């Protein structure tokens, strides 16, 4: 009898879904056997199949949004925006595939052609996260299928129901069941899939710890594609603005959207000392007004719970550690419901801490750092091994140019939140945030590889030097055609 994986609603603790753990060897064998026929289909056929998937997502948008909200705890309004992103991904990916992996031909002399075309890798594994259980894995799955790969999708063990629904929608749109496989299981299942010799690559979104382990594992396998997106310890810098209220709104959006469970959320607020008190007071006032409640509550909450009690316990402990090591509390992080993972926004000034932890605190916890100069602000922004997103709020165009040129991140915004990233642009980071395989519009780059060809309809060849005369030993200089 196979073991089952269970999923629970963070807001209520009730069981939401259960399903049997997959046999990785069997799933890989099926996907490997299916991808050649899928790759042989015209790209227009695959694109139309995926467009039917987008139509099915739109038709079942409310059902999918409700499931996402229940399984992640995020507010229903936010789950609806995730569903919109899932549907929109298809047209964006088709456009990206045409732009990033076009067929090119250059005509040469005597009928010679130089061509560049692209081939799929084969069977690709996709490991999905829990914070965007539909949108983020979909951002790998759609371009991978479009390029002609088969896909083995393992959703997070914390959000398997959303993963199963997503795969159901793909299959219902005409993606063959053998081409897209749902792999259910916990961390051990993920490790077995990632290390399986039958996969041709792995597309991963998740923690830096797991990403580093995957990077070491794939180091001896240069023939396999590895694309990593691993989050960040992201800075938002506020400088020289009289509009303190708008700046505070942008800070709160950066720090507390999705209960702080976006990889692009701001973890550190770096602010000019001369304006720090006014800004911090406004941020605190706004944070006090944020509604934290279950996904379907009325009035609609800004934040739901974090994913589970283990995550909430870890964040609470991190807040206490910052306090005990010199952090000055601006707003306490609290647990409004004792046995559920709801957290209120926590804000703490860590300017005086001699050593600040360079980790991704994945939740509604914002650290404040005061500085005297813009150069110090940039240095503090770069005081991390991560490099996903950064934002400057306020300042002049010249200051933004300086910030853009010197900030180490893959997403750099001005007068926008740190988590404002467009799917029509590349998305990825450097350092511990990624391995230079940005997703979103650039996902086409890692879902297919270029093949250069020199081609001619007729054979022509000559050797013009270095041949002996066939009748003797004398060297010849004429060409043999």
């Amino acid at each position: 009898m196979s073991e089952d994986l269970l999923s629970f609603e963070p807001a209520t603790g009730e069981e939401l879904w259960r399903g049997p753990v997959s046999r990785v060897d069997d799933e890989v064998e099926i996907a490997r056997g299916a991808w050649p026929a899928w790759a042989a289909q015209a790209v227009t056929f695959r694109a139309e199949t995926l467009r039917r998937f987008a139509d099915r997502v739109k038709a079942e948008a409310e059902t999918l949004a409700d499931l996402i909200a229940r399984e992640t705890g995020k507010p229903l309004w936010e789950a609806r925006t995730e569903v919109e992103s899932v549907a929109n991904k298809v047209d964006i990916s088709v456009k990206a595939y045409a732009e990033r992996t076009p067929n090119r031909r250059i005509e040469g002399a005597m009928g010679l052609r130089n061509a560049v075309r692209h081939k799929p890798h084969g069977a690709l594994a996709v490991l999905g996260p829990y914070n965007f259980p539909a949108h983020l894995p979909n951002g790998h799955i759609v371009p991978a299928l479009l390029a002609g790969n088969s896909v083995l999708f393992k959703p997070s063990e914390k959000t398997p129901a959303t993963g199963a629904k997503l795969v159901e929608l793909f299959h219902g749109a005409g993606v063959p069941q053998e081409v897209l496989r749902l792999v259910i299981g916990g961390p051990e299942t993920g490790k077995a899939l990632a290390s399986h010799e039958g996969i041709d690559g792995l597309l991963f979104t998740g923690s830096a710890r797991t990403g580093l382990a995957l990077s070491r594992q794939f180091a001896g396998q240069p023939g396999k594609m590895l694309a990593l997106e691993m989050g960040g310890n992201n800075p938002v810098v506020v400088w020289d603005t009289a509009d303190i209220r708008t700046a505070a709104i942008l800070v709160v959006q950066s720090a507390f959207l999705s209960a702080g469970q976006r990889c692009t959320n701001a973890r550190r607020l770096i602010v000019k000392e001369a304006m720090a008190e006014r800004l911090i007071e406004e941020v605190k006032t706004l944070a006090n007004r944020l509604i934290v409640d279950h996904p379907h509550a009325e009035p609609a909450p800004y934040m739901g719970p974090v994913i589970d009690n283990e995550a909430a316990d870890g964040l609470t402990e991190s807040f206490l550690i910052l306090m005990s090591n010199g952090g000055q509390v601006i707003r306490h992080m609290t647990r409004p419901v004792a046995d559920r993972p709801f957290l209120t926004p926590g804000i703490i000034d860590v300017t005086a801490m001699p050593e600040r932890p360079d980790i991704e605190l994945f939740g509604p916890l914002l650290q404040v750092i005061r500085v005297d100069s813009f150069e110090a602000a940039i240095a503090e922004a770069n005081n991390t091994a991560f490099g996903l997103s950064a934002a400057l709020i306020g300042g002049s165009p010249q200051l933004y140019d300086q910030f853009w040129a010197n900030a180490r991140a893959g997403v750099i915004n001005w007068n926008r939140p740190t988590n404002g990233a467009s799917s029509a642009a590349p998305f990825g980071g450097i350092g511990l945030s990624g391995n230079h395989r940005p997703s979103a519009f650039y996902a086409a780059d890692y879902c297919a590889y270029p093949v250069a060809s020199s081609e001619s309809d007729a054979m022509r060849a000559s050797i013009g030097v270095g041949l002996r005369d066939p009748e003797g030993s004398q060297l010849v200089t004429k060409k043999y055609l």
Side-chain angles (χ1 to χ4, degrees):
M1 186 175 179
S2 63
E3 178 188 356
D4 279 355
L5 181 70
L6 278 66
S7 175
F8 300 91
E9 296 186 30
T12 65
E14 294 179 2
E15 181 181 325
L16 177 68
W17 181 93
R18 67 170 60 209
V21 172
S22 302
R23 295 173 59 90
V24 172
D25 288 344
D26 294 346
E27 297 299 330
V28 173
E29 182 179 359
I30 293 169
R32 285 209 65 78
W35 84 264
W38 178 249
Q41 296 282 3
V43 66
T44 52
F45 173 87
R46 298 194 296 267
E48 284 309 308
T49 304
L50 293 171
R51 286 193 172 102
R52 289 197 300 273
F53 159 74
D55 290 341
R56 290 186 69 88
V57 170
K58 293 173 185 177
E60 297 194 43
E62 201 61 21
T63 299
L64 181 56
D66 179 72
L67 179 61
I68 292 170
R70 291 182 185 279
E71 191 165 43
T72 65
K74 67 176 60 176
L76 183 59
W77 64 263
E78 187 180 353
R80 287 171 174 151
T81 67
E82 180 171 354
V83 173
E84 290 176 10
S85 297
V86 171
N88 293 340
K89 176 58 67 175
V90 172
D91 282 342
I92 290 172
S93 297
V94 171
K95 182 181 179 182
Y97 187 82
E99 277 192 28
R100 304 294 299 175
T101 62
N103 292 339
R104 293 190 177 93
R105 290 197 176 193
I106 304 171
E107 300 298 328
M110 295 188 297
L112 181 67
R113 298 184 302 272
N114 293 308
V116 178
R117 306 182 188 87
H118 292 76
K119 290 185 178 183
H121 295 283
L124 295 180
V126 172
L127 300 184
Y130 63 76
N131 58 335
F132 284 88
H135 171 52
L136 288 179
N138 188 64
H140 293 310
I141 294 170
V142 167
L145 291 174
L146 181 63
N149 301 280
S150 61
V151 172
L152 297 122
F153 167 40
K154 183 205 169 294
S156 167
E157 59 273 14
K158 298 182 181 184
T159 52
T162 302
K165 182 63 178 178
L166 191 66
V167 170
E168 175 192 311
L169 291 168
F170 275 109
H171 290 163
V175 175
Q177 293 191 10
E178 297 81 8
V179 168
L180 175 59
R181 305 300 297 171
L182 177 66
V183 181
I184 293 295
E188 291 306 313
T189 301
K191 290 176 184 177
L193 179 59
S195 62
H196 202 287
E197 62 181 13
I199 66 169
D200 297 292
L202 176 67
L203 315 179
F204 170 78
T205 305
S207 71
R209 178 182 298 178
T210 302
L212 285 170
L214 291 170
S215 183
R216 287 190 291 267
Q217 175 185 316
F218 276 69
Q221 303 178 78
K224 292 188 177 184
M225 170 55 65
L226 178 64
L228 300 174
E229 196 277 279
M230 302 182 291
N233 186 12
N234 309 304
V236 55
V237 176
V238 181
W239 210 261
D240 287 343
T241 177
D243 190 354
I244 297 296
R245 177 165 175 75
T246 301
I249 291 171
L250 290 169
V251 169
V252 167
Q253 290 175 333
S254 296
F256 303 129
L257 190 62
S258 304
Q261 294 178 118
R262 293 191 181 199
C263 52
T264 49
N265 277 121
R267 312 299 172 195
R268 296 174 294 143
L269 166 59
I270 301 165
V271 58
K272 187 176 185 178
E273 177 67 64
M275 59 181 297
E277 290 301 330
R278 290 179 297 147
L279 177 71
I280 291 169
E281 188 58 35
E282 194 67 41
V283 169
K284 180 180 178 181
T285 298
L286 191 54
N288 288 339
R289 295 178 57 197
L290 296 182
I291 299 172
V292 182
D293 208 338
H294 69 82
H296 300 79
E298 291 293 342
Y302 188 81
M303 289 167 43
V306 295
I307 192 64
D308 56 24
N309 282 326
E310 181 182 6
D313 291 343
L315 287 160
T316 303
E317 182 179 355
S318 295
F319 190 83
L320 293 174
I321 290 173
L322 292 174
M323 283 177 54
S324 62
N325 284 274
Q328 301 297 310
V329 175
I330 296 169
R331 189 184 193 285
H332 278 281
M333 174 182 281
T334 61
R335 296 278 292 270
V337 183
D339 61 341
R340 303 298 341 128
F342 292 94
L343 291 173
T344 62
I347 308 172
I348 187 165
D349 191 325
V350 297
T351 306
M353 284 184 62
E355 294 184 12
R356 305 185 193 106
D358 184 22
I359 57 176
E360 183 182 37
L361 295 172
F362 205 64
L365 174 51
L366 180 64
Q367 301 165 75
V368 177
I369 303 167
R370 307 166 186 243
V371 293
D372 292 318
S373 70
F374 195 65
E375 290 70 23
I378 293 175
E380 197 61 64
N382 290 336
N383 187 22
T384 175
F386 293 88
L388 182 56
S389 69
L392 172 65
I393 297 172
S396 63
Q398 293 74 24
L399 275 184
Y400 175 64
D401 288 343
Q402 182 182 350
F403 184 75
W404 189 95
N406 292 282
R408 295 182 64 259
V411 177
I412 301 176
N413 295 339
W414 185 29
N415 289 327
R416 298 295 299 158
T418 56
N419 39 35
S422 169
S423 293
F427 179 83
I430 58 176
L432 289 184
S433 293
N435 66 333
H436 300 277
R437 297 285 187 272
S439 61
F441 202 78
Y442 279 25
D445 295 22
Y446 57 68
C447 290
Y449 65 93
V451 178
S453 305
S454 181
E455 304 164 352
S456 176
D457 293 334
M459 290 186 293
R460 285 187 173 87
S462 66
I463 300 176
V465 66
L467 294 179
R468 295 184 184 278
D469 190 303
E471 303 299 327
S473 62
Q474 183 180 356
L475 293 175
V476 297
T477 57
K478 66 180 181 179
K479 292 184 179 179
Y480 279 79
L481 301 177

